[in-house]
Amino acid sequence: MNAAPPEEIAFNIAAVERDTGLPKDTLRVWERRYGFPAPARDAHGERQYPPEQVEKLRLIRRLLDHGHRPAKICGASSEELMQLLAQHGRAAGVGEEGGCDSRLLECVCLHRSAELAAGLRQALLKQGLQRFVVETVAPLATAVGEAWLRGELEVSEEHLFSEQVQNLLRSAIGAQAGAGGRPRVLLTTLPDEVHVLGLLMAEAMLVPEGASCVSLGTRTPLADIRNAAAGGDFDIVGLSFSIAYPSRQAIDDLLELRASLPPRIALWAGGAAVRDRQRRLPGVRVVGDLDDTLAALREWRSARENAD
């Protein structure tokens, strides 16, 4: 067992999770499966991650967002990862911030909290909730992530953006939510998934269409999801999986949940970890992107009308 040098600054696993957004269990799985990260251990046997490994995990996280798989990139050097990211940046026109509102990105970079909040509210009023999610939030989230990777943002500034967007979306969703609309949708993530923005964006697409959404937040055990869905008169359970979530585990978890849910309850899954996995998920509706959320809703309503 490697001992962490006492003079070296190191991060415990909770700090790495907060910094990178990669769940603790994912870090442990990668350690066993790919040999990276390779933390040292302190006197109590707790994992200690040196700064260079945390930096590499940041790079890996951004490449996961671009669709790369952990097995293909965990063994690469930081220089190789940076080259891959540079290729994505050129392809996406990152220099032009990928189509996001550069003024809002500047507010994030300069920690202008009040201006960011005002700019987001103005965009929401001009675009409406659904267009705001698709045209402002999604591209801005991508640009913020790229700026953070390039060292132009601190973790605190990325968190500022996340909190501002989440608070605004929750408020806007609450203002539009009706009572008793169908379908009733239960939204959550599994215990190893910490990202909540995908759930909020899905809810923001569904609520204006008259759906009634209830969110359990993140990290809900399978048994709790099943019990809440069956006992709460829900029509659909919707789960979100970021690319950091192991795809094989997502498939296994979804199949287990599908088998335990009553047949009348539909199961939807979205996010990069399950993209293009429809064949392996019988009985699960894989939602490709935000616009596909609305297509899935139309399909559900059409099937219900035909059944009636």
Side-chain angles (χ1 to χ4, degrees):
M1 182 181 297
N2 297 326
E7 70 279 2
E8 182 181 48
I9 298 174
F11 300 83
N12 63 29
I13 195 168
V16 175
E17 180 183 55
R18 289 193 300 271
D19 189 298
T20 66
L22 296 169
K24 296 175 187 177
D25 286 345
T26 296
L27 295 170
R28 296 187 187 104
V29 168
W30 290 359
E31 183 181 337
R32 294 194 305 268
R33 187 173 297 170
Y34 309 125
F36 181 85
R41 302 278 183 153
D42 65 14
H44 303 287
E46 299 295 328
R47 288 173 172 83
Q48 297 292 306
Y49 298 80
E52 62 271 14
Q53 291 191 24
V54 178
E55 289 296 329
K56 182 175 174 180
L57 286 168
R58 290 177 178 174
L59 299 174
I60 289 173
R61 175 197 154 181
R62 297 310 308 153
L63 284 166
L64 294 176
D65 292 341
H66 285 297
H68 291 266
R69 295 292 168 186
K72 301 295 185 182
I73 57 177
C74 279
S77 68
S78 294
E79 291 73 19
E80 291 169 332
L81 298 176
M82 286 296 294
Q83 290 174 4
L84 284 173
L85 280 167
Q87 294 171 9
H88 285 289
R90 288 191 294 271
V94 169
E96 299 175 358
E97 312 308 344
C100 85
D101 189 325
S102 59
R103 295 168 301 174
L104 295 178
L105 182 59
E106 182 180 9
C107 289
V108 178
C109 294
L110 298 179
H111 219 283
R112 294 176 177 168
S113 178
E115 291 180 46
L116 175 62
L120 289 169
R121 287 195 299 268
Q122 184 180 30
L124 174 60
L125 288 172
K126 289 175 62 176
Q127 296 172 323
L129 183 54
Q130 291 172 319
R131 283 185 55 211
F132 173 68
V133 168
V134 174
E135 299 177 14
T136 295
V137 175
L140 184 58
T142 299
V144 166
E146 296 290 352
W148 167 75
L149 176 66
R150 297 193 300 268
E152 298 167 9
L153 288 180
E154 299 294 333
V155 172
S156 61
E157 293 162 341
E158 187 185 29
H159 289 174
L160 164 69
F161 161 75
S162 297
E163 287 300 314
Q164 291 275 17
V165 170
Q166 290 174 30
N167 291 339
L168 184 57
L169 286 179
R170 288 189 178 103
S171 176
I173 290 167
Q176 295 202 21
R182 290 290 181 175
R184 276 178 53 80
V185 184
L186 182 68
L187 296 168
T188 189
T189 73
L190 295 180
D192 293 340
E193 178 59 74
V194 299
H195 299 87
V196 71
L197 189 55
L199 290 179
L200 283 170
M201 290 196 290
E203 187 173 359
M205 298 298 289
L206 292 169
V207 166
E209 301 295 324
S212 177
C213 296
V214 175
S215 177
L216 297 181
T218 59
R219 295 184 160 187
T220 306
L222 279 172
D224 292 347
I225 297 172
R226 180 191 65 237
N227 294 338
D233 191 31
F234 286 98
D235 304 298
I236 299 166
V237 171
L239 300 179
S240 175
F241 297 89
S242 70
I243 190 63
Y245 201 97
S247 180
R248 185 181 304 171
Q249 182 181 340
I251 292 169
D252 291 344
D253 290 340
L254 284 165
L255 292 176
E256 180 180 348
L257 181 59
R258 176 65 277 172
S260 69
L261 287 173
R264 65 175 180 81
I265 299 178
L267 180 57
W268 295 359
V274 295
R275 189 172 297 140
D276 301 324
R277 295 296 190 271
Q278 184 67 73
R279 279 191 186 176
R280 300 181 61 185
L281 289 166
V284 179
R285 173 57 159 91
V286 175
V287 180
D289 56 23
L290 290 168
D291 289 331
D292 196 33
T293 305
L294 300 184
L297 178 62
R298 290 192 295 270
E299 292 168 11
W300 182 90
R301 285 177 167 161
S302 176
R304 187 179 183 187
E305 289 173 2
N306 292 335
D308 292 342

